Every structure is written in C-alpha cells, then in structure tokens.
C-alpha cells in the first residue's frame, strides 16, 4: 500500500472495498476557516432547511447506504438499515434539541435594560468518528454542530472511509457548500494533526479511551477549545432474583452480543447473584449456542457479523486465552472458524476466581461472568471499573433499582432493559474513562454552541448617583 493512501476492506470477505488519497490537513482547515463566517451568518431557518434536505437525500439512497455500511463494517443488513434510519431521525431531534437547550431567551426587562441569553457557534469543528457506527455517530456530532452554525471537518475512521465519503456526499447533494462539510481522509496521524491545528475551535470525538486521552492531553493547554469525548466502557449487567429467567437471559444476550459486541454500551461483565447463577448462566449459554454469526447479507439473516478486522479478532482470541490461563473458567469457547477472516463466535468465561481482572474494554463478543453473594457485592462489583458508560439491573424490586440507580456510577442506568440501544432523544455519555461530561445525542446541542449573556438598551442612558465631587463651574 502506498503511504499516501487509505484502503478499506470488507471484513466478511477480505476484499478491498475503497481506496482514496490521504487529505491535506492544513488545506482543509484553511478552507473551513474561510467558509465559516458566511455559514454562521446565515439565518438559523436556512441552516435547518439545509439539514432537512440532507435527511431527504439520505432517504433517497437509504438502501444503497445500508448496503455500504454492511459491507464496510460487516454488520448485518437489518442492523445497517436501523443505522441509516438514525441518521435521518437525527435532524428532527437536533432541531428540537437546539431550541430546547441552546435557543434564545429574553430575561426580565425593566429600567436596567433587557437581558438576553443567546448562543454562538464555536467555529471550525473537527469530528473524529469510530468504525462501529460509521454514519450515525459522527452524524450525531455533525448535524447539531451545523445547526448551531459551525463548519465541519469530518475524519472518518480509517477502517470505514467509504461510509464517511457517502455521508458527506449526502450533505453536498443537499446543498451544503463543499467547504462547510469536508471529508478528511486519513488515519490516526491525520486525526492528531487536525487536533493539534491552531485554527480549529473544537474536537468532537467518538472512539477509544486511548485516543480520547491522547486528544485531551494534546489540548490541555488550550482550554478555549471545546472537546467532547465519547469513549468506551466496561459495562456491567447485574442479574438478581427474578422468576423470568428466559427474559433475563435474552437481555444479557442482547446486551453482550448485538453488533458482535462492538458497541460502546455492550455488556462486558455479567454480574450474577449466586441464587440465580445456575439457571441464568445455563440459559445464557443455551441462547448463545444458537446465535447465528455470518456474513451481513446471509439468508436467513444472522444475529451478528464478523468483527471489524483480523487484528481485532486476534486480540479477542488472545484475551480469551489470557482469561483461561489466569484462572478463568470457560462457559463457551471463542471459536474462529476461518483463520483469515475476522469471524469470532460469542464467548463466555467465568472470571470470578481471577485475582486480577484487567479493567479494559474488550470490543467484541466476549462476556465475562462474575458470581456474587448478594446485592451489595453486586453493586460493588458493578463499580469495580474506571469506566462508567452504561449499567443495567435485571430483576429485583423497585427499591433494589433505586439503590442500584443511586449507587452505580454510569451515564446510562437501566432496569430490566439491555445496556445498549440508547435513545437519541436522551443525553448519551458516561463518567470516568467513558467521557468528559459532555454527553452527546440530545445534549450534543450543548457542546456545539456557547452561551452569551447580554444586557441591552436601544439608547445609552446612564447617570452616576454616588461618589462624585460637586461640579465646579467656571463663571
Ligand atoms: P479509535 O479511537 O481507534 O478511533 C476513533 C477515531 O479517532 C478514528 O477516526 C481514528 O483515526 C482517530 N484517532 C485515533 N487516534 C487518534 C489520536 N491520537 N488523535 C486524534 N485522532 C485519533 O476508535 P475505534 O476503534 O474506531 O472505535 C471503537 C471505540 O469507540 C470503542 O472504544 C468504543 O467503545 C468507542 N465508541 C464510543 C461511543 C460513545 O458514544 N461513547 C460510541 C461508539 C464507539
């Protein structure tokens, strides 16, 4: 591969899918800077109208878009279709969010003048996207940032540039000027150069904790630049007493293995009360044994596809092996049916006896099981992580859930629902290593604009009532 190129491959077949030249970061930032004043000066209604046209453009190519997402990520077609629907829905949600969270407010009037709170855009925003939702997640930054009056330089993951290019094409066909939404083709090095560029005003990042921390560090001496970090998790699903074992097991399966475990909100740790262990874990294994993992267009449709590439598949197999050789007890082995394709079977391992469990995000279909004696131990175990993205309680009473909600540290806390599948109509973000308290989804509006407080009068009117010497007038 020439060093000035990015090539993406279809995980399910290994075939090359897309190739393109690496973009010039300086040029992109220069073009964005020049485009920003005119874009920010447009009426809000015009920016919203363009975003609505964008949604229509996506609608026109919905099938083609879903197919491309499936090919480039390996996710099943049914799942890629839901991703495209989320891209379309994002526009209406972002219009409401802008009005609700960052609209204009006139405060009390009176003799001191009128007070107003209005929001201004930051300027040139760098959007760095991950591969697992290569359209929906960057779009979740791009649309609210555009509505607020920012211009965008979007660098998709180097693993999913075709989807990135397709998304940006929809913006351009909708009438967005080429310099208002730009595609920047590149890998981590181009991401770093963009983050370090003097002339960007903010970084909207969704990806791994390692990259997020690197970005945070890079911008530590630039407090004026807005940085929104949406990172990974080591999410717990806690199962306590419930008569509904089959439903509890289905929730565990959905949480751990949807998208082949490649969701930031996927459950990595099943924490189960001893009284439920045999029934629940048995049922989870039976269901996991039935999971079809296959190529994205297979008929009948698979539950999940491959992981993104062979390197990820190798890392997951190595992690499973690490658990095995450090006291883990296998419940369901991780299989790799084809050595040169990244299909891995759902795997489950009991790690209760392990002295030290690595607190890292294992981004694939690998579920660790931990047995606990009681609810207090379950809560302590759920919090035994530096991450804090999502957490679910399955079973228990309303009082148990109240305790769980109050004591577990996470940005998404659910009861009798999976850890994943969050609503775009709610804020989405985590604590600890999962984020920097700039939640996305509905609250993305908050980081796309900053508030300006003003007091205003239509004429200057002022007098100084105290502390002045008597005026001496010359005769
Ligand atoms: P990644 O961190 O490897 O890459 C994300 C983007 O950042 C890519 O565009 C990449 O090129 C760029 N990048 C990498 N290093 C960089 C650096 N030092 N400076 C600037 N840019 C850099 O993430 P990924 O592997 O593509 O995605 C999977 C990860 O994303 C998982 O950790 C997952 O949990 C996380 N994720 C989080 C959310 C969320 O909303 N919290 C959602 C989806 C995925």
């Amino acid at each position: 591969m020439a060093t000035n190129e990015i090539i993406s491959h279809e995980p399910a077949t290994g075939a090359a899918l897309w190739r393109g030249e690496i973009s010039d970061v300086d040029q992109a930032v220069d073009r964005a800077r020049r485009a920003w004043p005119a874009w920010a000066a447009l009426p809000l209604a015009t920016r919203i109208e363009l975003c609505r046209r964008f949604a229509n453009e996506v609608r026109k190519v919905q099938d083609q878009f879903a197919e491309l997402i499936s090919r480039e990520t390996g996710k099943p077609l049914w799942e890629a279709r839901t991703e495209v629907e989320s891209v379309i829905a994002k526009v209406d949600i972002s219009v409401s969010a802008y009005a609700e969270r960052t609209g204009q407010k006139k405060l009390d009037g009176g003799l001191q003048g009128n007070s107003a709170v209005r929001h201004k855009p930051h300027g040139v925003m760098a959007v760095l996207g991950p591969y697992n939702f290569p359209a929906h997640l960057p779009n979740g930054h791009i649309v609210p940032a555009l509505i607020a009056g920012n211009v965008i330089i979007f660098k998709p993951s180097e693993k999913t540039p075709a989807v990135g290019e397709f998304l940006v094409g929809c913006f351009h066909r909708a009438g967005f000027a080429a310099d208002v939404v730009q595609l920047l083709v590149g890998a981590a090095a181009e991401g770093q150069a963009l983050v370090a560029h003097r002339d960007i005003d903010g970084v909207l990042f969704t990806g791994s904790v390692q990259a997020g921390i690197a970005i945070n560090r890079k911008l530590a001496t630039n407090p004026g630049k807005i940085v929104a970090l949406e990172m990974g998790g080591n999410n717990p699903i806690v199962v306590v007493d419930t008569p509904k074992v089959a439903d509890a097991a289905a929730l565990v399966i959905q949480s751990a293995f949807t998208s082949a475990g490649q969701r930031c909100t996927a459950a990595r740790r099943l924490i189960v009360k001893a009284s439920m262990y045999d029934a629940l874990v048995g049922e989870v294994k039976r269901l996991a044994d039935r999971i079809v993992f296959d190529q994205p267009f297979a008929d009948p449709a698979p539950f999940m596809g491959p992981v993104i590439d062979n390197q990820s598949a190798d890392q997951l197999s190595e992690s499973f092996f690490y658990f095995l050789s450090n006291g883990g007890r296998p419940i369901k082995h991780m299989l790799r049916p084809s050595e040169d394709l990244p299909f891995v079977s759902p795997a489950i391992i009991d790690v209760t006896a392990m002295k030290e469990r690595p607190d890292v995000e294992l981004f694939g279909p690998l579920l660790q099981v931990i047995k606990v004696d009681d609810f207090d131990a379950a809560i302590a175990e759920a919090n035994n992580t530096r991450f804090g993205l999502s957490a679910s309680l399955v079973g228990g009473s309303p009082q148990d859930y109240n305790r769980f909600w109050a004591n577990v540290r996470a940005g998404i806390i659910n009861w009798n629902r999976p850890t994943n599948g969050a609503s775009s109509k709610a804020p989405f973000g985590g604590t600890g290593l999962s984020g920097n308290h700039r939640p996305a989804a509905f609250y993305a509006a908050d980081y796309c604009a900053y508030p300006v407080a003003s007091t205003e009068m239509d004429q200057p009117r002022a007098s100084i009532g105290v502390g002045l010497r008597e005026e001496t007038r010359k005769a």
Side-chain angles (χ1 to χ4, degrees):
M1 181 174 102
T3 49
N4 63 345
E5 257 191 349
I6 294 279
I7 303 180
S8 81
H9 294 88
E10 292 186 36
T13 62
L17 174 68
W18 186 95
R19 69 172 61 216
E21 214 173 287
I22 288 181
S23 313
D24 184 313
V25 173
D26 288 334
Q27 254 178 35
V29 177
D30 185 49
R31 286 169 55 189
R33 270 262 65 90
R34 289 168 198 265
W36 180 53
W39 174 249
L42 284 178
L44 173 64
T46 309
R47 296 198 302 264
I48 289 178
E49 175 56 26
L50 275 167
C51 286
R52 293 205 195 284
R53 285 190 200 167
F54 157 74
N56 283 336
E57 285 303 319
V58 176
R59 252 182 223 111
K60 285 186 208 159
V61 290
Q62 220 164 335
D63 290 343
Q64 216 181 321
F65 202 177
E67 195 182 310
L68 182 64
I69 293 172
S70 279
R71 287 178 69 191
E72 201 169 44
T73 62
K75 69 174 72 172
L77 188 59
W78 59 264
E79 201 189 337
R81 289 203 172 109
T82 63
E83 178 165 357
V84 178
E85 277 157 21
S86 304
V87 169
I88 296 168
K90 181 55 70 181
V91 171
D92 278 345
I93 290 170
S94 304
V95 171
S96 311
Y98 182 83
E100 194 176 304
R101 309 250 347 139
T102 48
Q104 297 191 18
K105 247 188 241 156
K106 291 264 186 219
L107 305 176
D108 54 335
L111 290 175
Q112 304 306 318
N114 290 318
S115 298
V117 179
R118 304 184 187 91
H119 287 79
K120 296 221 269 190
H122 297 284
V124 177
M125 298 292 239
V127 172
L128 300 168
Y131 66 76
N132 63 330
F133 282 88
H136 170 49
L137 290 175
N139 191 59
H141 295 301
I142 294 172
V143 169
L146 287 170
I147 290 176
N150 303 281
V151 296
I152 305 294
I153 301 173
F154 165 39
K155 194 200 83 59
S157 161
E158 55 277 28
K159 296 173 185 173
T160 52
V163 172
E165 183 187 57
F166 195 99
L167 182 72
V168 170
C170 292
F171 281 104
H172 293 165
R173 285 198 304 283
F176 283 87
D179 294 352
V180 169
V181 186
Q182 290 183 69
L183 176 77
L184 187 108
V185 175
E190 286 66 38
Q192 285 163 351
L194 191 56
V195 166
H197 202 291
R198 209 183 51 180
D199 281 340
I200 57 144
D201 299 294
V203 177
L204 309 181
F205 168 82
T206 307
S208 63
V209 66
Q210 293 78 5
I213 287 175
I215 292 167
N216 216 24
R217 201 170 271 149
K218 191 82 209 168
L219 292 177
T221 53
N222 276 293
K225 299 198 183 193
I226 186 94
V227 183
L229 302 174
E230 317 299 335
M231 301 180 286
N234 188 11
N235 311 303
I237 184 164
V238 171
V239 181
V240 294
D241 298 305
T242 171
K244 304 197 73 176
V245 177
D247 296 85
L251 289 170
V252 171
I253 293 286
Q254 281 173 2
S255 301
F257 300 131
T258 306
S259 312
Q262 297 171 112
R263 286 197 185 196
C264 53
T265 46
R268 309 291 172 206
R269 298 175 296 140
L270 166 60
I271 299 164
V272 55
K273 216 175 136 187
S275 53
M276 288 292 297
Y277 187 95
D278 289 345
L280 180 85
V281 174
E283 189 59 33
V284 168
K285 173 166 181 343
R286 269 191 294 281
L287 263 182
D289 283 341
R290 290 172 50 206
I291 285 181
V292 176
F293 60 104
D294 202 343
Q295 57 98 0
F297 307 103
D299 186 13
F303 180 87
M304 59 184 230
V307 296
I308 191 71
D309 55 18
N310 286 324
Q311 197 191 350
S312 301
D314 291 345
Q315 278 167 2
L316 289 161
S317 311
E318 279 160 26
S319 299
F320 192 83
F321 186 70
Y322 173 85
F323 287 136
L324 270 182
S325 22
N326 285 276
R329 185 177 60 80
I331 294 168
K332 182 170 167 50
H333 277 275
M334 180 170 277
L335 305 177
R336 182 94 187 266
S338 154
E339 238 173 61
D340 47 6
L341 291 175
F343 287 94
V344 289
S345 67
I348 308 172
I349 187 154
D350 186 317
V351 296
T352 313
M354 277 180 75
K355 283 200 191 71
E356 278 183 34
R357 298 176 208 122
D359 180 22
V360 292
E361 179 188 52
L362 299 172
F363 208 59
L366 171 49
L367 179 66
Q368 302 158 60
V369 182
I370 301 157
K371 194 199 285 190
V372 290
D373 290 332
D374 54 34
F375 195 43
D376 284 338
I379 289 179
E381 196 54 66
N383 281 332
N384 190 13
T385 171
R386 296 161 301 161
F387 292 89
L389 191 53
S390 66
S392 285
L393 173 68
V394 179
S397 64
Q399 290 74 18
D400 290 335
Y401 178 55
N402 284 345
R403 265 181 68 204
F404 186 80
W405 194 93
N407 293 330
V408 166
R409 276 190 326 271
I412 297 156
I413 302 181
N414 298 333
W415 188 28
N416 292 324
R417 300 299 302 148
T419 52
N420 49 20
S423 161
S424 297
K425 293 182 180 158
F428 182 89
T431 61
L433 292 186
S434 297
N436 64 339
H437 295 285
R438 300 208 182 275
F442 201 76
Y443 281 16
D446 297 32
Y447 57 65
C448 291
Y450 64 95
V452 178
S454 307
T455 37
E456 299 160 347
M457 265 189 181
D458 52 5
Q459 294 287 334
R461 194 169 64 222
S463 60
I464 298 168
V466 67
L468 292 188
R469 249 181 236 114
E470 232 7 73
E471 201 173 13
T472 49
R473 286 176 194 274
K474 287 193 181 142

